[in-house]
Amino acid sequence: MAGIIQYVTYQDNRKEVGTHLYYGRAVHNTTIGTEQLADRIQRSCTLKVSDIVACLKELSEVIKDELGNSNRVHIDGLGTFYVNVKSLGAESEEEFTATENITGFRVKFLPEGKKDTATGKITRNWLQDLKVQKATGFVKA
């Protein structure tokens, strides 16, 4: 099923950029939470909402633990979660220290995809067949 991603345009007004080009930005209409996901999943399987919610909450804990052990977490049909380190540069490897140069962490997600053997291009499963449409009536927050 093809989805429609709504977008708005914005102008890049940063002084250091110089040219102030216009770009597109995705609009997110709402946030779907655990309960809503569980309700939708329940409609297509034999589990109850309470079972699905418990499973999703435990999955969240297990992913957190595994990422905290410096592991990647791959979920078939979904993709891979992993941690990236944010850091400041050092003049040499010897001068680099975790306390001074590592400033934080980011959790990254790479959706599952398929590689075209002819072109080498990877198509992300979640992103294929998407279409775009300019959002109407969108008010910036």
Side-chain angles (χ1 to χ4, degrees):
M1 172 188 272
I4 298 175
I5 303 299
Q6 295 184 351
Y7 72 94
V8 293
T9 54
Y10 72 97
Q11 187 177 24
D12 186 349
N13 290 321
R14 294 176 296 166
K15 291 179 185 174
E16 64 273 9
V17 174
T19 59
H20 301 294
L21 300 176
Y22 286 84
Y23 296 90
R25 179 175 288 150
V27 171
H28 304 100
N29 298 315
T30 189
T31 300
I32 305 300
T34 303
E35 292 287 336
Q36 291 93 350
L37 285 173
D39 185 53
R40 291 207 39 207
I41 293 169
Q42 173 189 253
R43 293 183 215 159
S44 59
C45 72
T46 60
L47 295 172
K48 294 182 179 180
V49 169
S50 58
D51 298 324
I52 297 165
V53 168
C55 183
L56 291 173
K57 287 184 178 182
E58 189 58 31
L59 176 64
S60 173
E61 289 298 316
V62 171
I63 290 173
K64 178 183 173 189
D65 290 346
E66 292 301 326
L67 293 177
N69 288 324
S70 204
N71 293 322
R72 286 184 297 230
V73 177
H74 177 80
I75 301 172
D76 292 341
L78 193 62
T80 303
F81 296 88
Y82 60 98
V83 173
N84 254 3
V85 173
K86 295 190 292 184
S87 65
L88 301 172
E91 292 293 323
S92 68
E93 189 173 352
E94 293 77 23
E95 292 179 45
F96 188 97
T97 65
T99 54
E100 292 293 319
N101 297 90
I102 295 181
T103 61
F105 307 97
R106 287 191 177 115
V107 174
K108 298 287 197 161
F109 173 72
L110 185 62
E112 201 163 89
K114 294 178 184 161
K115 187 173 188 176
D116 183 319
T117 53
T119 65
K121 183 178 178 182
I122 297 175
T123 303
R124 301 292 166 202
N125 294 350
W126 292 0
L127 304 177
Q128 63 190 47
D129 301 325
L130 290 179
K131 307 223 181 307
V132 293
Q133 166 184 312
K134 187 161 186 164
T136 57
F138 179 75
V139 179
K140 292 182 183 178

